[in-house]
Amino acid sequence: MDLGRRLAGLWNAAAKEAGGPDRLTEILSRLALFFSGGWILALTFFDWIRSAFFVDLGLTVAILVAFALGIVNVGTAVQTWIPARRLAPLVPLSIVYFTVVHYWLFVSLVPFYGTDGLAFSHYSAILLLQGQNPYAVSQAPALELFRIPEFYVTPKETGGLVTSQTYPALSFLIYVPVVAAGATDMRIVSLAGHGLAILVAYRVTPQPFKAFAPLTLAFPDQLDFTPGSVQDILWVAPLLLSVSTLHRRRFSGCLYGIACSIKQMPWLLAPFLFVDLWKRDGTKFPSSAGLWNFAAFAAGTFLLINGPFILWDPGPWTAGVLDPLFGDNIPLGPGLSILTQGAWLLAPKAFYSATMVSVIIALLALEFIDYPNARRALYWFPGVVMFFAYRNLQNYFVYWYPFVFLALATWLREQYQGSGHAEVP
Amino acid sequence: MRKSRSLVVLAVLLVPIVALASFSWYIVSRPAEVRISVRLPIVDLDGVGAGTELQLDVQNLGQNPVELSFWVMWFAFVRDWEILEGAPVLDPGATQTYRIRVSNIQMAIPDGSRYIVKAFDRISGIYFRSEDLRLELEGSPPLRNSGLWYWSRNTQTGVLHPFAWGLDWAAGADDAVDIGPADASSGARLWLREGGGGTGPTLAVVHQAINASDLLRLRDTPVTLCWTFAIEYRDDPETGYPLTASGVQLFRGGKLAWFVLSRSTSGIVDLPNHRIFVVRADTDRGGCAPLPLGPMIDFIGGAPLEDSSFALFAVAWPKAPGEYHFAATTFVLG
């Protein structure tokens, strides 16, 4: 008996022991309320310590309400008047609220961008409003304009810094209306994206684990990244919607195209998603209309957004968006390349590239050969691949959590519903 | 059937593992091709209390030429250092001495930190490392970066400040403060607007913590303050407390000593826990004046191990509304 079957057996036994799926939802909702409450209390405590709440009445009230929500969530886990599953929406709402409070405090303490990426995207929006091509103009002035500290730039191994736009076009197009409206801090867009992603994660994750889904976007690093100017949270909501609507291939493809137009990270999912759709459709060759509808609408949406810049000047656009893959940026992050960062391992970048490619091929083969089991791990494959990359920044990993959790929740739901009943993400 | 599928899965996963392991073994078992030694001692050439320049002896032990850039790593984020002396290309078997300098002052090695020097060979794409070292800087002056050079942004606050110095300020709702370099890259310019409201002063401070042993050294070091214009010291005739002032402040253990400039008077003013050393000078023009550091340090006293704060300051109280400028160009040590 393989591990998957054993887990399924355990799960069914647990559901039966608990008194059925509804009863299990009730139990897990209570657990989610308890853990979210404790989590919010802990994080609010740390924010209270580092805040100057005593000079800001608004912040004082905000912290007070966050702490009260933590108290309420823990309390609702053990109250018996109202079924916990009815109170479960408190989890996403309180997590969204705390995300806003944490953002507010962080931004007041760090009133500048913490990444060159957001500085470049903001500057690109300004350039575009002035009629200039952001891919063809140096982004170097953005570093001074947005007061980016020296630690947070991207050095190149060949000398100098990255001073070009290296993300797909929606990474800055999304800021154009915000800049045009007169806003000066684009981190607010990430905050909106973070709130939306939490609500979407809650919406698309099936019972009985639904109430836990918001917690997958409330780890301390994720909470700091939004006001800390990491933009990846922006692709989470469209990609979550995409993978949860794979039964509507055109719609899902459009959403995938949107996610891929924000940053390159969702691109990594493409080969695995391709095999997944092929296998779902059950054709001998990848020839189903659904598969190609998805691919066509994803590519079409991507080209709709990026096409104008490709036509404007294809060279700089191509060099820009491929820079994270083929540029000569220094190794960084706590993945395998930490061995090269300390120069313990005399390995060139080509070693990491070759390893990454072989891991992608192996995972694809694994998915192809043992699809029924491997498909559950599909959304963590990008994380596994990035572990072997030359750069393994934390944001390459943490935004896959809601997807992995969605796959886990869907898998376990299928176990007691019977295979094929639930929508597989 | 299931067993054979498991074997296939295992085989598939083994392919990258074996490839990774064999390649790793190959590159680990290779002898290091570039040997890097850091020459000691390291002297604080810039007087900033951090390692800004290193001398390296580099030997190419490999069979091929290397083209080197140098990276000094004392924390996770790293930048390349500028090569001041030494050709980047090093032939096989050759040894060369390099002098390298930090490309941005924020990346200078803090005294006492552990660090390594990495050489990146642009030809092979490989990093080589020196042995790991701890920076024991020699020749640091008691007052770091006395010329107020190297203005750069604080990584935590984003505020522009001279390296090794911090900024502080206090301003009410109708007041304003601005602190920046006196000229393009050095000195400090402190600007205040005291609106006349409230009770507290409008204050701008550029400060540096000085440990007890450095304070003792500072006591024996002649220090001269040079300025281009300053704020006239004025006091309240009724209370004797200051209304406006600029100059140098020493603070330790709740006691404050000021060195201030006045066109009309000189002498010592004693207030509770506060002594003001007033020196006659033209505040509308540039000038220099030696600091009475001995008497100032004697006044603040304090516990032997307690840090003190050495600062440039400008201040105005609500009873003296207006705009004020203080521009100090440098402290001259010795």
Side-chain angles (χ1 to χ4, degrees), chain B residues 79-110:
Chain B
R79 285 286 300 275
D80 55 331
W81 284 37
E82 191 183 346
I83 298 176
L84 299 179
E85 286 174 14
V89 176
L90 194 57
D91 290 327
T95 300
Q96 189 166 180
T97 299
Y98 290 87
R99 191 158 68 90
I100 61 171
R101 181 172 175 78
V102 70
S103 54
N104 182 287
I105 195 73
Q106 292 282 350
M107 311 304 283
I109 315 164

Side-chain angles (χ1 to χ4, degrees), chain B residues 15 19 23 43 53 65-66 94 113 134-135 156 160 163 168 183 207 216 218 231 233 247 261 266 288 299 305 324 332:
Chain B
V15 170
F23 194 47
V43 178
E53 276 195 31
V66 290
S113 297
R134 185 182 295 279
L135 183 66
Q156 302 299 317
L160 199 63
F163 186 75
D168 207 352
D183 56 36
H207 59 89
L216 281 178
L218 198 60
I231 300 170
Y233 172 72
L261 305 167
S266 65
C288 293
F299 174 74
L305 296 177
Y324 301 96
V332 181

Side-chain angles (χ1 to χ4, degrees), chain B residues 13-27:
Chain B
L13 288 177
L14 274 176
V15 170
I17 291 168
V18 169
L20 187 63
S22 50
F23 194 47
S24 299
W25 175 251
Y26 166 69
I27 47 190

Side-chain angles (χ1 to χ4, degrees), chain A residues 171-377:
Chain A
S171 69
F172 56 85
L173 286 174
I174 200 166
Y175 301 127
V176 168
V178 189
V179 171
T184 55
D185 191 336
M186 297 303 109
R187 289 178 290 181
I188 195 75
V189 178
S190 297
L191 177 64
H194 202 147
L196 182 65
I198 290 169
L199 297 176
V200 170
Y202 179 74
R203 177 72 185 84
V204 302
T205 304
Q207 293 287 24
F209 287 97
K210 183 188 273 288
F212 273 102
L215 288 168
T216 62
L217 286 167
F219 285 91
D221 46 4
Q222 295 166 319
L223 290 169
D224 273 3
F225 283 168
T226 290
S229 311
V230 175
Q231 296 165 273
D232 288 69
I233 190 67
L234 295 171
W235 57 257
V236 175
L239 192 59
L240 270 173
L241 284 170
S242 172
V243 301
S244 59
T245 56
L246 287 175
H247 54 289
R248 298 164 62 193
R249 294 290 169 84
R250 293 177 180 183
F251 179 67
S252 174
C254 286
L255 288 165
Y256 183 66
I258 288 172
C260 288
S261 295
I262 296 171
K263 283 194 83 172
Q264 287 90 339
M265 195 47 59
W267 296 11
L268 264 180
L269 197 61
F272 306 114
L273 207 49
F274 185 87
V275 172
D276 182 46
L277 295 177
W278 174 11
K279 290 286 185 178
R280 277 167 191 257
D281 292 348
T283 54
K284 190 175 179 184
F285 298 103
S287 55
S288 69
L291 171 61
W292 291 106
N293 270 336
F294 180 91
F297 276 79
T301 305
F302 183 82
L303 286 174
L304 194 68
I305 295 165
N306 288 274
F309 298 96
I310 299 171
L311 291 173
W312 198 341
D313 199 342
W317 181 88
T318 309
V321 298
L322 295 182
D323 184 82
L325 302 173
F326 301 111
D328 44 20
N329 303 339
I330 61 165
L332 198 63
L336 187 65
S337 75
I338 195 172
L339 297 171
T340 289
Q341 290 162 52
W344 301 107
L345 185 69
L346 305 183
K349 186 180 179 184
F351 164 69
Y352 294 93
S353 303
T355 307
M356 261 180 77
V357 170
S358 61
V359 169
I360 289 173
I361 291 169
L363 291 174
L364 271 173
L366 182 68
E367 186 185 4
F368 188 81
I369 293 165
D370 195 10
Y371 176 73
N373 288 316
R375 66 175 175 151
R376 310 299 184 182

Side-chain angles (χ1 to χ4, degrees), chain A residues 1-2 5 109-112 144 147-153 155-161 330-332 336 340-351 355 358-359 361-363 365-366 369-370 372-373 388 390, chain B residues 2 5 8-10 12-13 15-16 19-20 23-24 27-28 30-33 69 71 73-80 104 106-107 116 118 120 122 124-129 132 152-160:
Chain A
M1 185 181 281
D2 68 12
R5 281 175 177 255
L109 290 173
V110 186
F112 58 93
E144 182 53 34
R147 305 186 304 166
I148 304 300
E150 275 295 323
F151 290 177
Y152 306 134
V153 295
K156 286 174 165 285
E157 284 180 329
T158 47
L161 304 172
I330 61 165
L332 198 63
L336 187 65
T340 289
Q341 290 162 52
W344 301 107
L345 185 69
L346 305 183
K349 186 180 179 184
F351 164 69
T355 307
S358 61
V359 169
I361 291 169
L363 291 174
L366 182 68
I369 293 165
D370 195 10
N373 288 316
F388 295 96
Y390 204 44
Chain B
R2 180 164 296 281
R5 179 185 281 177
V8 170
V9 167
L10 193 64
V12 163
L13 288 177
V15 170
L20 187 63
F23 194 47
S24 299
I27 47 190
V28 166
R30 279 165 64 187
E33 290 172 348
S69 59
W71 306 70
M73 188 165 216
W74 53 269
F75 81 136
F77 295 91
V78 65
R79 285 286 300 275
D80 55 331
N104 182 287
Q106 292 282 350
M107 311 304 283
I116 60 167
K118 299 193 293 183
F120 176 69
R122 289 180 182 174
S124 65
I126 290 175
Y127 287 92
F128 302 92
R129 59 178 281 145
D132 62 297
S152 52
R153 297 207 179 277
N154 182 289
T155 53
Q156 302 299 317
T157 62
V159 172
L160 199 63

